[in-house]
């Protein structure tokens, strides 16, 4: 696909998906949603070992572009969410390599929730997270009702949506909404270092734990323990496990291959 609304690059097994509509604060239009979905799905046939999603310019993502198809009042929100947003959120959540959301600025509405679908969220210290669709008479969507209560609890989730007040990166980190905050200056260098660590790690082990984590929302304890045993059985047969054991015994750095 010839991308126009995003940029996709890869170096050192690190794929970087950049939202590239800075003139509208990287708001999500139909083209960007389609291109993002294609790019995330393309990771299945790529040799990338980690995917980073970030924004071009000073904003990560301002949410849905309500002016994308002219009159916002005539938009078919159910179709857009069902056919475009839901597949994208699922693709990010189910991606078989670690996904890092490098939030370089404001993340609002759907933009925030797409970031939360990633495995790890790293934010620049001047980033702000907002659920503000209530200001225009809409409910929070794109997974907000799933991610928020699970990550910050019902009380904080309801308050964040009902009042529409933004959280600073520091507040989001303190609540457990994101993994960490990094200085705005040198932010790209910071997330690249983090991505490099993941790209050099045992990505099959990461995948199996991710699968276990995703299943934990619906499993009871017995079901979860059974799943962990099954997935650990698979992990124990990987080349990375053998490499890790040898490296541990020889006290040398492990050279994982993701196999």
């Amino acid at each position: 696909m010839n991308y126009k609304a995003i940029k996709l690059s890869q170096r050192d097994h690190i794929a970087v998906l950049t939202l590239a509509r800075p003139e509208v604060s990287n708001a999500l239009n139909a083209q960007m949603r389609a291109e993002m979905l294609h790019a995330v799905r393309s990771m299945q046939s790529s040799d990338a070992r980690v995917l980073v999603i970030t924004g071009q310019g000073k904003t990560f993502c301002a949410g849905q572009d309500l002016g994308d198809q002219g009159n916002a009042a005539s938009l078919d929100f159910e179709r857009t969410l069902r056919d475009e947003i839901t597949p994208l959120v699922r693709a990010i959540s189910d991606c078989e390599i670690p996904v890092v959301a490098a939030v370089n600025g404001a993340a609002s509405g759907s933009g925030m929730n797409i970031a939360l679908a990633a495995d790890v969220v790293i934010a620049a210290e001047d980033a702000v997270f907002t659920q503000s669709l209530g200001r225009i008479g809409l409910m929070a969507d794109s997974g907000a009702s799933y991610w928020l209560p699970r990550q910050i609890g019902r009380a904080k989730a309801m308050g964040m949506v009902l009042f529409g007040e933004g959280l600073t990166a520091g507040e989001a980190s303190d609540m457990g909404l994101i993994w960490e905050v990094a200085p705005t200056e040198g932010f790209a260098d910071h997330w690249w270092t983090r991505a490099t660590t993941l790209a050099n790690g045992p990505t099959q082990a990461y995948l199996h734990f991710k699968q276990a984590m995703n299943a934990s929302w619906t499993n009871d304890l017995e079901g979860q323990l059974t799943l962990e045993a099954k997935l650990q059985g698979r992990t124990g047969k990987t080349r990375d496990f053998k490499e890790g054991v040898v490296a541990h015994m020889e006290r040398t750095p492990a050279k994982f291959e993701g196999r």
Side-chain angles (χ1 to χ4, degrees), residues 85-95 99 101 109-121 129 131 140-158 160-161 167 172 175-178 210 213-217:
I85 291 293
T86 295
L88 176 57
V89 170
R90 287 302 303 266
I92 294 171
S93 179
D94 295 341
C95 188
V99 181
S110 296
M112 173 179 170
N113 298 325
I114 284 173
L116 296 183
D119 300 309
V120 175
V121 181
F129 296 85
Q131 296 287 343
D141 57 24
S142 305
S145 61
Y146 185 85
W147 305 119
L148 290 178
R150 285 168 169 79
Q151 293 177 217
I152 61 176
R154 185 182 188 278
K156 293 293 187 183
M158 288 298 296
M160 187 174 189
V161 171
L167 295 177
M175 285 185 184
L177 186 67
I178 66 175
K210 179 175 180 175
M213 179 77 81
N214 289 344
S216 71
W217 302 121

Side-chain angles (χ1 to χ4, degrees), residues 50-54 60 92-93 95 97-103 112-123 129 147 151 176-181 187 190-191 193-195 197-198 206 209-210 213-214:
V50 61
L51 170 64
V52 178
I53 301 175
T54 193
F60 176 75
I92 294 171
S93 179
C95 188
I97 58 176
V99 181
V100 176
V103 180
M112 173 179 170
N113 298 325
I114 284 173
L116 296 183
D119 300 309
V120 175
V121 181
I122 301 173
F129 296 85
W147 305 119
Q151 293 177 217
L177 186 67
I178 66 175
W179 167 242
E180 68 176 352
V181 181
F187 180 61
H190 178 83
W191 62 250
T193 298
R194 284 297 205 182
T197 298
L198 294 176
Y206 297 158
F209 183 75
K210 179 175 180 175
M213 179 77 81
N214 289 344

Side-chain angles (χ1 to χ4, degrees), residues 229-249:
K230 180 180 180 179
L231 293 174
Q232 191 69 297
R234 294 177 184 173
T235 309
K237 295 177 182 179
T238 62
R239 290 177 56 169
D240 279 349
F241 169 65
K242 297 175 182 178
E243 165 65 16
V245 171
V246 171
H248 177 73
M249 297 297 292

Side-chain angles (χ1 to χ4, degrees), residues 5-179:
I6 68 169
K7 296 178 181 178
L8 184 65
S9 61
Q10 183 175 322
R11 177 166 61 90
D12 300 333
H13 297 291
I14 299 171
V16 180
L17 191 168
T18 304
L19 310 184
R21 301 182 72 219
E23 69 280 3
V24 289
S25 300
N26 297 322
L28 297 159
N29 63 1
Q31 182 176 20
M32 180 181 279
R33 292 188 291 266
E35 291 181 4
M36 289 183 69
L37 179 60
H38 182 275
V40 175
R41 286 179 171 172
S42 75
M43 295 299 104
Q44 296 177 356
S45 57
S46 167
D47 64 353
R49 298 184 63 192
V50 61
L51 170 64
V52 178
I53 301 175
T54 193
Q56 181 178 331
K58 297 182 179 180
T59 302
F60 176 75
C61 180
Q64 301 290 4
D65 186 349
L66 297 179
D68 182 29
Q69 300 177 25
N71 184 2
S74 65
L75 293 177
D76 187 342
F77 290 105
E78 181 177 0
R79 186 208 63 78
T80 299
L81 288 165
R82 182 189 65 234
D83 298 343
E84 300 178 21
I85 291 293
T86 295
L88 176 57
V89 170
R90 287 302 303 266
I92 294 171
S93 179
D94 295 341
C95 188
E96 295 189 352
I97 58 176
V99 181
V100 176
V103 180
N104 55 298
S108 304
S110 296
M112 173 179 170
N113 298 325
I114 284 173
L116 296 183
D119 300 309
V120 175
V121 181
I122 301 173
E125 58 188 354
D126 62 352
V128 178
F129 296 85
T130 311
Q131 296 287 343
S132 55
L133 282 178
R135 296 176 184 174
I136 60 170
L138 291 173
M139 61 172 274
D141 57 24
S142 305
S145 61
Y146 185 85
W147 305 119
L148 290 178
R150 285 168 169 79
Q151 293 177 217
I152 61 176
R154 185 182 188 278
K156 293 293 187 183
M158 288 298 296
M160 187 174 189
V161 171
L162 296 183
F163 292 111
E165 298 174 358
L167 295 177
T168 66
E171 290 170 334
S173 179
D174 291 342
M175 285 185 184
L177 186 67
I178 66 175
W179 167 242

